[in-house]
Amino acid sequence: MSVIAELLKLLIPAGLVLYGMYLTVRVMIDREFRQKQEEVRSRNSEAITPIRLQAYERMTLFLERISPNNLLLRLANGAPTALDLQQLLLRDIREEFNHNLSQQIYMSQPTWDLITSAMNEVMALINQAAAEVPPEAPAIDLSKRIFDKVIQQNAQPVGPALRAVKEEVQQTFM
């Protein structure tokens, strides 16, 4: 019995020391792992932040470019008839959208939904105005009808989306 008692006197403190060392090493490894994760996040954030800001800038520019006022000022002289202008306006909106489609990964889903909704509203407004003007009418007639519809709505169709983009930038980066 005394041999077992002597052996236990040695093994129990040695086991406790070993367990203490295990816990200490484990805490140190966990701390090191968390520090490495923070470093990686920090480096990723430094790289992604400018790209995200650029995405918000591009979507703001997209919304401004498809605003009926800006769209008509930019493209009204490019078509002789109302039908040609309608097609030109719709094609330009689609091309702008497709060009900026990848920017959606940098913004929240509700903001992206507002952007696509604004684009669809502008396209619907153009189509509604075009339905009220004969296809062979001069393009200026369609332009006037689109302006009339915007005035009737008393709001720009891209307004809510622009506000959402600005708010998201302010919440995210300021």
Side-chain angles (χ1 to χ4, degrees):
M1 269 305 216
S2 69
V3 173
I4 293 176
E6 290 297 317
L7 191 56
L8 285 176
K9 285 182 185 177
L10 290 173
L11 288 178
I12 290 176
L16 289 174
V17 167
L18 199 60
Y19 183 69
M21 288 299 295
Y22 166 76
L23 290 177
T24 303
V25 169
R26 188 170 138 207
V27 166
M28 288 174 47
I29 289 174
D30 286 347
R31 186 178 305 139
E32 181 81 20
F33 180 71
R34 275 187 250 114
Q35 284 176 341
K36 292 287 184 192
Q37 278 184 323
E38 273 303 311
E39 252 180 58
V40 168
R41 272 193 215 114
S42 176
R43 274 187 268 138
N44 285 344
S45 178
E46 288 173 11
I48 290 175
T49 298
I51 295 170
R52 284 188 73 193
L53 279 171
Q54 184 181 33
Y56 287 113
E57 290 170 357
R58 286 181 64 179
M59 293 320 298
T60 300
L61 181 62
F62 166 73
L63 290 168
E64 287 293 342
R65 288 179 61 86
I66 68 164
S67 162
N69 298 342
N70 294 332
L71 196 61
L72 288 170
L73 289 174
R74 198 172 72 249
L75 299 174
N77 294 333
T81 67
L83 179 62
D84 292 337
L85 180 60
Q86 176 191 14
Q87 291 172 347
L88 180 65
L89 295 172
L90 296 176
R91 184 178 62 241
D92 189 70
I93 292 171
R94 277 190 227 100
E95 286 173 0
E96 287 277 340
F97 183 74
N98 290 337
H99 180 71
N100 291 298
L101 193 57
S102 65
Q103 305 309 311
Q104 67 182 300
I105 64 173
Y106 297 109
M107 51 193 60
S108 70
Q109 190 61 46
T111 300
W112 182 254
D113 291 343
L114 282 171
I115 290 168
T116 56
S117 175
M119 177 194 70
N120 291 333
E121 283 183 46
V122 171
M123 292 175 80
L125 182 116
I126 292 167
N127 287 331
Q128 289 168 2
E132 297 173 8
V133 175
E136 65 281 343
I140 193 75
D141 292 351
L142 177 58
S143 296
K144 288 177 186 176
R145 192 67 200 127
I146 292 171
F147 279 126
D148 289 344
K149 287 203 161 289
V150 170
I151 291 169
Q152 287 173 0
Q153 289 180 351
N154 200 23
Q156 284 290 333
V158 298
L162 272 171
R163 279 190 295 282
V165 169
K166 290 175 187 177
E167 287 172 7
E168 190 165 312
V169 167
Q170 289 174 349
Q171 288 173 357
T172 306
F173 298 105
M174 296 180 187

